[in-house]
């Protein structure tokens, strides 16, 4: 999956820095259900239980990540079906946490942790995101910190006080001049669009806005993707022209068809035999957001006697906003021979 993405784009993937550190890797502020992605960076094989920590904007009431162990690793363990280097923290949802005991219960490819924090986290105008030992920035427990702003020239004094505490602890750069917004990550004058995220760039952590970039690709639980490629009004880009599926195979058995969504759009895909007979016709994907999307040929249909052969996946993408539609084709080789 990620190998295909590497061949499709010029990207940066953050695998680790010189020093061991738990870091904020990506976050969103304009979704109505904001989340923060944690990443554990180290040159050595390490692990850390984060259940007692807080991921917070400090404002209002907040709670620790979990009541039982939730371990993040500096490496991706082969025995788990998800990437152990990432944990996605949902700041305002009240659902059961995915922990060391449960694993990835919703099978979305990463560990989800849910917090009943301040209900309006994160503000889509100005704010901070922190990993801390509690929800008080003045106690000296800040582990990582990011400040962001829409640069409206009217900084919030409460947010400014949180930034000052992070600066005292050398977890955020010190600004020159009276406007503290100058050293915050710029999220746009109208805030961060709901399809975009603030993503960490590769390289050492400098505790400054230069560590981050706005990106159109939200990648919770996966390495960040940044690109200078201009896509114009193209809607989708298949990441493979040919996909091999071998049922029950450890590598080729997933039935996934990777597609890069470039603009928010509705996606309908169908799979045909080489003679034009419909082999699979799933429901459409409505309002697919920019980023990596794995279309799947359901394993039930693969098990139902569909023979070895060449198949064609037709993908139709439509954007009402852009008044544009596209059709792409991918060849699928289904083999029952091992």
């Amino acid at each position: 999956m990620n190998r295909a993405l590497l061949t499709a784009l010029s990207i940066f993937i953050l695998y680790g820095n010189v020093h061991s550190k738990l870091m904020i890797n990506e976050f969103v502020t304009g979704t109505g259900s904001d989340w923060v992605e944690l990443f554990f960076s180290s040159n050595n094989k390490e692990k850390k239980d984060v259940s007692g920590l807080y991921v917070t904007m400090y404002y209002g009431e907040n709670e620790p990540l979990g009541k039982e162990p939730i371990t993040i690793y500096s490496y991706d363990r082969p025995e788990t079906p998800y990437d152990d280097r990432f944990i996605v923290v949902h700041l305002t949802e009240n659902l059961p946490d995915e922990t060391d005991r449960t694993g990835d219960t919703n099978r979305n490819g990463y560990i989800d942790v849910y917090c009943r924090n301040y209900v309006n986290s994160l503000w889509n105008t100005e704010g901070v995101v922190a990993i801390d030992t509690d929800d008080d920035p003045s106690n000296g427990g800040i582990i990582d910190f990011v400040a962001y702003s829409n640069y409206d020239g009217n900084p919030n004094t409460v947010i400014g006080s949180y930034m000052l505490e992070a600066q005292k602890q050398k977890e955020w750069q010190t600004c020159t001049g009276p406007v503290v917004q100058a050293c915050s990550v710029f999220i746009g004058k109208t805030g961060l669009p709901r399809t975009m995220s603030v993503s960490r760039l590769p390289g050492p952590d400098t505790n400054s806005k230069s560590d981050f970039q706005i990106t159109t690709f939200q990648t919770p639980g996966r390495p960040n993707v940044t690109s200078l490629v201009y896509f114009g009004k193209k809607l989708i880009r298949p990441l493979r022209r040919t996909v091999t599926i071998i049922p029950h195979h450890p590598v080729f058995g997933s039935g996934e068809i990777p597609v890069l969504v470039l603009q928010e759009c509705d996606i309908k895909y169908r799979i045909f035999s080489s003679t034009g007979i419909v082999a699979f016709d799933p429901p459409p994907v409505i309002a697919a957001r920019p980023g990596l999307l794995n279309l799947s040929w359901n394993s039930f249909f693969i098990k139902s006697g569909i023979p070895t052969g060449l198949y064609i996946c037709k993908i139709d993408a439509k954007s009402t906003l852009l008044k544009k539609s596209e059709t792409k084709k991918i060849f699928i080789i289904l083999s029952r021979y091992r």
Side-chain angles (χ1 to χ4, degrees), residues 7 12 45 52 55 57 73 75 79-80 89 96 101 106 140 154 183 192 207 220 227 238 244 264 289 296 333 336:
T7 61
F12 296 105
K45 287 189 174 182
V55 174
M57 69 171 286
Y73 292 77
Y75 60 101
E79 62 266 30
T80 59
V89 180
R101 175 179 57 84
N106 62 8
N154 185 28
C183 62
L192 191 68
N207 293 322
S227 174
T244 299
E264 184 171 310
R289 294 187 176 185
S296 177
I333 300 172
R336 296 187 177 278

Side-chain angles (χ1 to χ4, degrees), residues 282-300:
V285 181
I286 304 299
R289 294 187 176 185
L292 181 63
L293 175 66
N294 281 315
L295 305 178
S296 177
W297 189 352
N298 191 299
S299 60
F300 171 79

Side-chain angles (χ1 to χ4, degrees), residues 57 123 126-128 145 148 156-164:
M57 69 171 286
W123 293 340
E126 186 167 81
V128 303
F145 183 95
Y148 63 88
N156 184 288
T157 55
V158 176
I159 297 300
S161 69
Y162 300 156
M163 184 187 296
L164 289 173

Side-chain angles (χ1 to χ4, degrees), residues 73-92:
Y73 292 77
S74 63
Y75 60 101
D76 186 16
R77 298 182 298 163
E79 62 266 30
T80 59
Y82 50 87
D83 197 325
D84 302 272
R85 301 170 297 171
F86 301 95
I87 291 176
V88 178
V89 180
H90 304 266
L91 298 179
T92 59

Side-chain angles (χ1 to χ4, degrees), residues 2 39 152 170 182 297:
N2 289 330
F39 177 78
D152 63 359
K170 301 187 184 304
W297 189 352

Side-chain angles (χ1 to χ4, degrees), residues 5 11 47 52 101 104 126 135-136 149 192 219 222 260 296 303:
L5 193 57
I11 68 171
K47 62 181 181 178
R101 175 179 57 84
D104 179 20
E126 186 167 81
D135 66 345
D136 184 347
S149 174
L192 191 68
T219 56
R222 300 181 180 90
L260 190 64
S296 177
K303 294 176 182 177

Side-chain angles (χ1 to χ4, degrees), residues 18-303:
V18 175
H19 302 292
S20 171
K21 189 174 183 181
L22 179 66
M23 299 190 298
I24 297 164
N25 198 47
E26 185 180 7
F27 64 92
V28 298
T29 66
T31 66
S33 181
D34 297 332
W35 50 265
V36 177
E37 180 191 70
L38 307 184
F39 177 78
F40 192 21
S41 172
S42 176
N43 289 340
N44 301 316
K45 287 189 174 182
E46 300 182 43
K47 62 181 181 178
K48 184 178 182 65
D49 179 10
V50 300
S51 59
L53 300 179
Y54 288 69
V55 174
T56 174
M57 69 171 286
Y58 293 119
Y59 195 91
E61 296 294 326
N62 302 279
E63 68 176 19
L65 296 184
K67 296 182 179 179
E68 57 182 273
I70 304 170
T71 304
I72 191 169
Y73 292 77
S74 63
Y75 60 101
D76 186 16
R77 298 182 298 163
E79 62 266 30
T80 59
Y82 50 87
D83 197 325
D84 302 272
R85 301 170 297 171
F86 301 95
I87 291 176
V88 178
V89 180
H90 304 266
L91 298 179
T92 59
E93 295 186 47
N94 185 21
L95 294 172
D97 293 331
E98 294 180 341
T99 66
D100 293 356
R101 175 179 57 84
T102 68
D104 179 20
T105 55
N106 62 8
R107 298 183 181 179
N108 63 358
Y110 50 86
I111 295 298
D112 292 286
V113 176
Y114 302 91
C115 293
R116 290 176 292 183
N117 285 356
Y118 168 62
V119 67
N120 290 324
S121 299
L122 299 164
W123 293 340
N124 199 26
T125 52
E126 186 167 81
V128 303
V129 186
I131 308 173
D132 203 322
T133 55
D134 59 22
D135 66 345
D136 184 347
S138 66
N139 288 343
I142 298 176
I143 297 171
D144 200 24
F145 183 95
V146 182
Y148 63 88
S149 174
N150 62 356
Y151 284 27
D152 63 359
N154 185 28
N156 184 288
T157 55
V158 176
I159 297 300
S161 69
Y162 300 156
M163 184 187 296
L164 289 173
E165 291 296 338
Q167 290 168 345
K168 289 178 184 178
Q169 298 174 45
K170 301 187 184 304
E171 288 295 338
W172 197 244
Q173 71 176 137
T174 301
C175 294
T176 58
V179 182
V180 295
Q181 291 179 337
C183 62
S184 299
V185 178
F186 181 52
I187 61 169
K189 292 182 178 180
T190 59
L192 191 68
R194 66 187 185 92
T195 59
M196 296 186 180
S197 68
V198 177
S199 295
R200 182 178 290 274
L201 293 167
D205 183 15
T206 65
N207 293 322
S208 70
K209 67 179 182 180
S210 62
D211 294 334
F212 296 90
Q213 177 180 314
I214 303 300
T215 175
T216 56
F217 302 103
Q218 295 179 359
T219 56
R222 300 181 180 90
N224 293 341
V225 176
T226 59
S227 174
L228 299 178
V229 177
Y230 175 66
F231 294 109
K233 291 186 178 181
K234 290 184 179 180
L235 301 179
I236 60 174
R237 175 175 294 179
L239 297 184
R240 296 176 187 167
R241 297 186 64 180
T242 303
V243 174
T244 299
I245 298 177
I246 304 175
H248 311 297
H249 190 278
V251 177
F252 301 107
S254 67
E256 292 182 345
I257 305 164
V259 174
L260 190 64
V261 180
L262 306 175
Q263 309 280 352
E264 184 171 310
C265 59
D266 298 336
I267 294 177
K268 172 66 179 176
Y269 69 103
R270 291 180 295 171
I271 296 175
F272 300 85
S273 70
S274 57
T275 58
I277 299 174
V278 177
F280 186 44
D281 186 7
V285 181
I286 304 299
R289 294 187 176 185
L292 181 63
L293 175 66
N294 281 315
L295 305 178
S296 177
W297 189 352
N298 191 299
S299 60
F300 171 79
F301 290 90
I302 297 176
K303 294 176 182 177

